[in-house]
Amino acid sequence: MSLKPFEEVVAEHGPTVLRVCRAVLGPHDAEDAWSETFLAALRAYPDLDPRANTEAWLVTIAHRKALDQHRARARGPVPTDHITDTPAPDSDPHIHHDDLWDALKALPPKQRRVLAYHHVAGLPYAQIARILGGTEQAARRAAADGIKTLRTTHGKGTPR
């Protein structure tokens, strides 16, 4: 069994990884994380076991790149309320669902990541537990808590 050409891997899994990056980091940092994910993946791809779950492997790399982004942001300048220059409202046509992103952004990081990895990337909870460290049950609990909060904060009804 041999590996697919890397271009096919990017075409097949790139959109899912971008959605995961957007769900975890938000629209502004997602494309950087996506690029860094695939650069790292390109370097490691020749050593990947051909039987490996490629999507789970890419989400694991994206998870690490998202953590790098969070750490870099924590070391960066502190945002201010005084903005001297604002972008045009239509400067990024790819950004949609700002209200959903606001609701996702308000979730605790673990809940946000579990929701992204499960509901966007389609990874099973056992795989998510391996990526985040912890148990499958803890990943399920984090997802349930996150969905419950989103239903409340995103206006989709009352929590069940």
Side-chain angles (χ1 to χ4, degrees):
M1 185 175 217
S2 64
L3 294 170
K4 295 179 187 176
F6 192 71
E7 295 81 12
E8 289 182 25
V9 171
V10 174
E12 183 177 348
H13 301 291
T16 299
V17 171
L18 182 58
R19 286 192 299 271
V20 166
C21 290
R22 282 185 175 174
V24 172
L25 293 169
H28 302 295
D29 296 326
E31 291 182 13
D32 288 342
W34 183 91
S35 297
E36 291 174 17
T37 296
F38 279 99
L39 285 173
L42 178 62
R43 287 189 289 271
Y45 189 64
D47 298 327
L48 181 67
D49 183 340
R51 297 168 297 179
N53 180 336
T54 306
E55 189 167 76
W57 176 68
L58 289 168
V59 170
T60 300
I61 295 171
H63 165 73
R64 292 181 184 138
K65 296 303 176 187
L67 290 178
D68 291 346
Q69 291 269 341
H70 282 295
R71 289 182 190 124
R73 192 179 307 141
R75 292 188 301 263
V78 177
T80 178
D81 290 335
H82 179 69
I83 299 172
T84 58
D85 206 3
T86 57
D90 59 347
S91 62
D92 187 352
H94 303 292
I95 297 174
H96 300 289
H97 309 291
D98 287 340
D99 56 334
L100 178 58
W101 169 239
D102 288 342
L104 273 171
K105 192 168 54 175
L107 292 176
K110 183 175 182 179
Q111 291 177 12
R112 187 172 54 231
R113 290 180 186 128
V114 169
L115 290 177
Y117 302 160
H118 184 71
H119 293 285
V120 177
L123 297 182
Y125 289 112
Q127 180 70 41
I128 294 168
R130 283 192 288 277
I131 292 171
L132 296 177
T135 66
E136 182 179 342
Q137 291 76 23
R140 287 182 185 278
R141 181 77 256 161
D145 291 346
I147 291 291
K148 181 179 177 182
T149 301
L150 283 178
R151 285 185 176 142
T152 302
T153 60
H154 191 55
K156 296 288 185 189
T158 57
R160 295 181 199 172

